[in-house]
Amino acid sequence: MLIQLVQIEVLPGQRDAFVEAFRINWAGALTEPGNIRFDLVCDADDPNLFYCYEIFSDEAALDAHRASAHYRRCIDLINPMMRSSRSKRMFHPVLVEGRAAERV
C-alpha cells in the first residue's frame, strides 16, 4: 500500500475552475483497479490551498494512474491555475482503514 499527499495552491480567482478540472482526475482515479482512496480536501483557513490524499495498492498502481489519460488531461488544465508547482509527500501506512499495515 502506498499513500501520497499532494499539496496544490491555486491562484486567486481560479478555485472553481480548479475544482472542475480536478474532477476529471478524481472521477477517473475512482475507476482504477489499484486505487483504494482518492480525496481532494481544502485547507480550512485558505480556500486556494488543496490537498489530494491518495492511497494506491502499490507503486505500479500509482504509475498506472500517472500514465492515465484523465491524469494527464487534469494536469494540463490545472498547471496554469497553480501558484507554484505541486508538492508531494509519500507515506507508508501504519493503521489505515482499521487494518494494520505491513510496516509498523
Side-chain angles (χ1 to χ4, degrees):
M1 187 180 297
L2 182 64
I3 300 169
Q4 178 173 255
L5 182 65
V6 181
Q7 179 179 314
I8 305 165
E9 186 175 4
V10 300
L11 296 166
Q14 295 295 312
R15 184 183 197 285
D16 292 341
F18 167 79
V19 171
E20 284 307 307
F22 199 87
R23 187 177 305 277
I24 296 166
N25 192 26
W26 175 80
L30 296 180
T31 69
E32 296 170 9
N35 176 264
I36 296 169
R37 184 166 197 106
F38 202 87
D39 300 324
L40 181 66
V41 297
C42 182
D43 187 280
D45 296 321
D46 183 348
N48 295 316
L49 183 57
F50 293 87
Y51 295 89
C52 184
Y53 180 74
E54 310 169 11
I55 303 177
F56 291 93
S57 57
D58 53 27
E59 189 79 34
L62 178 57
D63 290 344
H65 170 69
R66 290 178 179 152
S68 69
H70 55 264
Y71 174 83
R72 296 296 340 143
R73 177 71 178 136
C74 175
I75 295 304
D76 289 345
L77 290 170
I78 69 171
N79 274 341
M81 301 178 200
M82 296 187 319
R83 181 180 295 274
S84 59
S85 63
R86 300 177 309 279
S87 68
K88 299 175 185 178
R89 295 189 64 193
M90 302 298 255
F91 300 89
H92 293 289
V94 176
L95 296 174
V96 177
E97 297 284 329
R99 293 174 289 195
E102 296 173 16
R103 299 180 200 185
V104 177

